[in-house]
């Protein structure tokens, strides 16, 4: 029983130790992501091929897509929205002691529906896991309500 109690007390320390690391906002990975964030409002997906491996998995609010799917999704935004902006609040890359490297972006997406004429500003969190200098996985999290409503008007 004493061993179990000791293990339970040490468990939080063991878990948190795995996620210690060094964070940067000006390394090459962060700059690659920032370049795409700057190009996206211009309907330019050219940077995606530099970011993602061909076999990368991208989880967009629980739906797994490919880098090609993501590029098409972004192009679709520009067909149904105007005045798209992507305001980055933070873009950082962390290299953890457990060997994992992640870039996180916290931002605000905004746009105006071409059919609805409604505007919205949506908080977004993006996370890119890296294998070398290419992302092999990513997670995009945001409230899709406004985007889905405008998609429905365009069907």
């Amino acid at each position: 029983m004493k061993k179990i109690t000791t293990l339970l007390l040490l468990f939080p320390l063991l878990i948190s130790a795995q996620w210690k690391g060094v964070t940067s906002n000006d390394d090459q990975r962060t700059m690659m992501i920032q370049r795409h964030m700057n190009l996206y409002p211009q309907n330019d997906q050219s940077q995606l091929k530099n970011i993602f491996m061909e076999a990368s998995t991208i989880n967009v609010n629980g739906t797994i897509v490919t880098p090609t799917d993501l590029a098409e999704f972004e192009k679709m935004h520009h067909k149904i929205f105007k005045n798209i902006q992507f305001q980055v609040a933070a873009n950082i890359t962390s290299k953890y002691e457990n060997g994992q490297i992640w870039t996180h972006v916290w931002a605000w997406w905004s746009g105006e529906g071409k059919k609805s004429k409604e505007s919205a500003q949506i908080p977004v969190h993006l996370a890119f896991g890296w294998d070398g200098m290419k992302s092999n996985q990513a997670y995009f999290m945001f409230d899709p309500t406004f985007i889905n409503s405008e998609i429905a008007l365009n069907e």
Side-chain angles (χ1 to χ4, degrees), residues 2-14:
K2 196 173 191 178
K3 288 182 183 181
I4 292 173
T5 304
T6 303
L7 184 59
L8 289 174
L9 291 172
L10 290 176
F11 186 72
L13 295 173
L14 296 172

Side-chain angles (χ1 to χ4, degrees), residues 91-141:
N91 178 6
I92 59 169
T93 298
S94 298
K95 296 178 182 180
Y96 297 103
E97 289 178 354
N98 64 9
Q100 292 192 40
I101 301 173
W102 285 88
T103 298
H104 292 276
V105 177
W106 292 272
W108 292 94
W109 178 96
S110 61
E112 179 185 334
K114 289 181 179 178
K115 286 212 174 174
S116 70
K117 308 293 186 215
E118 293 182 23
S119 296
Q121 187 176 51
I122 302 168
V124 177
H125 176 220
L126 310 175
F128 300 83
W130 298 91
D131 182 1
M133 291 307 295
K134 294 273 190 171
S135 176
N136 61 354
Q137 60 181 318
Y139 297 87
F140 290 23
M141 294 156 275

